[in-house]
Amino acid sequence: MLRVGLTGGIGSGKSAVATRLAERGAIIVDSDRIAREVVAPGSAGLAEIVAAFSDRVLTADGALDRAALGASVFADEAARRRLEEITHPRVRARSAELSAAAPADAVVVNDVPLLVEVGLAPSYHLVVVVQTAVAIRLARLARDRGMTRAEAERRIAAQADDARRRAAADVVLDNDGGLDELHAAVDALWRDRLLPYERNVREHRAVREGWAVLTGPDPTWPQQYARLAARIRHALAPADLRIDHVGSTAVPGLAGRDVIDVQVTVPSLAEADGVVARRLADAGFPRVPDVRWDHPRSAAGDGGAGRDERLHGGADPGRPVRVHLRVAGSPGWRHALLTRDHLRADPGQRAAHLLVERELAAAPPDAGSTTTGDPWSAEEYLRAEAWATRTGWRP
């Protein structure tokens, strides 16, 4: 199934997005609703809260007095953390239970107000953030929840800011307009990205990025890589494998094809073919059996010896990605890191590299999709090796 994390600041309209996704066919797992369920009267969660904060947080009929509890923990960091230690594991466990009960072809949307704050983003195939201007959120909170401006401002300030949410977001839905505009954006997301993404994950099928045009340089490429790397690291845990951003998008200021290349260092290709491959596929990075179009560049005349790797692609139609599984110390592994670092260090070679990429972009698709074997690549290999010797570079 496809696991989607949905979040947004208080008053952003996140619930409206969840409702629309449910109408389209998504299964919604509402963390707010679960949070109330796990502290219902008679629950172990409520008993632990009373033990920690006394029965002053109970109403006359024995239910949780949320206002009283909020007053106790809002300005007390230690008290807030104690409350989270009681509630968060229960909410996560119940959320996992509900998700596991969904059909195999489901799009499961986990509606989590504090998704960014508690670091859950890497556990989803995709994170959707609903973003709304603060002035609009303040007006909505006053109109819909009867909050004073001061109370609404305190609630907003207690959550992650927009910049932090955007850094975690694969998709940002702007909700500054009307409901019709929001619904149109949600419908497009459902049709064009979530449904094909779910199918690709279920069938373990990578999206071929095709003959991507040159673009950029895009200053968000490092941030996009960071999200992908965190997702890969989460999928492979507890193994702590080295993960690197390689390729054109890893060189600041360099235009390139809009494909994020990620290199994962594996102990052996046999391990890459086993549990690593399965976990990556389940996380949305299925194996690509044909890697002819992705041979790393190397010195002329080496015949490609020792350049074996395993290649995975992204199942997300909205983000082309290649995940290269290479053994530490292998020629392809070393070359990817050396080329990246040399281009980062040498502006002149970045300019030459860009010229080669432009020539490739202008060539027909059947002319090949890398610069393997072209004269510049062979010369760059030698220049990079000389630079490594001169500077003492190590991968």
Side-chain angles (χ1 to χ4, degrees), residues 52-67:
F53 298 99
S54 84
D55 59 8
R56 290 176 296 178
V57 298
L58 293 178
T59 62
D61 59 0
L64 180 64
D65 186 335
R66 293 183 175 276

Side-chain angles (χ1 to χ4, degrees), residues 221 225 244-252 254-257 259-263 294 297 322 324 326 332-333 335-341 343-344 350 353 357:
W221 279 335
Y225 158 76
D244 290 281
H245 189 187
V246 297
S248 298
T249 62
V251 181
L254 181 64
R257 294 191 300 151
V259 182
I260 304 296
D261 284 284
V262 181
Q263 179 168 278
D294 192 55
R297 298 170 185 165
R322 294 181 299 213
H324 309 264
R326 293 172 176 142
W333 176 87
H335 191 269
L337 299 171
L338 174 58
T339 300
R340 178 199 65 187
D341 292 350
L343 290 175
R344 284 176 174 178
R350 289 200 297 272
H353 174 86
E357 292 287 359

Side-chain angles (χ1 to χ4, degrees), residues 89-107:
R90 290 178 165 87
V91 171
R92 285 195 292 267
R94 180 58 176 156
S95 297
E97 182 182 345
L98 292 172
S99 296
D105 61 350
V107 175

Side-chain angles (χ1 to χ4, degrees), residues 49-277:
I49 287 175
V50 172
F53 298 99
S54 84
D55 59 8
R56 290 176 296 178
V57 298
L58 293 178
T59 62
D61 59 0
L64 180 64
D65 186 335
R66 293 183 175 276
L69 180 61
S72 298
V73 304
F74 186 79
D76 186 334
E77 179 70 12
R80 183 180 63 80
R81 291 190 178 278
R82 177 67 186 116
L83 177 62
E84 291 172 350
E85 289 171 358
I86 295 170
T87 59
H88 286 184
R90 290 178 165 87
V91 171
R92 285 195 292 267
R94 180 58 176 156
S95 297
E97 182 182 345
L98 292 172
S99 296
D105 61 350
V107 175
V108 178
V109 177
N110 213 1
D111 182 346
V112 188
L114 300 181
L115 182 151
V116 173
E117 290 84 341
V118 298
L120 292 177
S123 64
Y124 299 102
H125 290 107
L126 197 78
V127 172
V128 178
V129 168
V130 185
Q131 180 174 288
T132 308
V134 171
I136 296 175
R137 293 166 62 189
L138 290 171
R140 288 176 182 168
L141 292 172
R143 181 194 66 206
D144 301 335
R145 306 194 192 185
M147 289 187 187
T148 65
R149 183 180 182 87
E151 181 183 4
E153 287 176 341
R154 282 197 301 271
R155 294 291 190 92
I156 290 173
Q159 296 181 335
D161 60 21
D162 287 343
R164 188 176 169 195
R165 285 197 196 90
R166 282 195 299 271
D170 300 289
V171 176
V172 176
L173 293 176
D174 183 359
N175 191 24
D176 287 348
L179 194 59
D180 288 346
E181 295 173 74
L182 181 64
H183 283 174
V186 173
D187 291 352
L189 172 65
W190 177 260
R191 178 187 65 247
D192 300 334
R193 194 161 184 179
L194 299 186
L195 286 181
Y197 195 176
E198 182 282 318
R199 185 169 56 251
N200 290 338
V201 169
R202 175 163 38 90
E203 297 177 356
H204 284 182
R205 181 173 58 200
V207 176
R208 292 288 188 132
E209 76 275 6
W211 195 248
V213 298
L214 280 178
T215 185
D218 185 340
T220 71
W221 279 335
Q223 196 174 76
Q224 293 183 55
Y225 158 76
R227 288 197 297 271
L228 293 166
R231 200 162 283 149
I232 291 169
R233 192 173 302 282
H234 181 270
L236 299 181
D240 186 18
L241 303 182
R242 174 174 174 172
I243 302 175
D244 290 281
H245 189 187
V246 297
S248 298
T249 62
V251 181
L254 181 64
R257 294 191 300 151
D258 188 21
V259 182
I260 304 296
D261 284 284
V262 181
Q263 179 168 278
V264 179
T265 304
V266 293
S268 68
L269 291 179
E271 187 162 335
D273 290 335
V275 64
V276 172

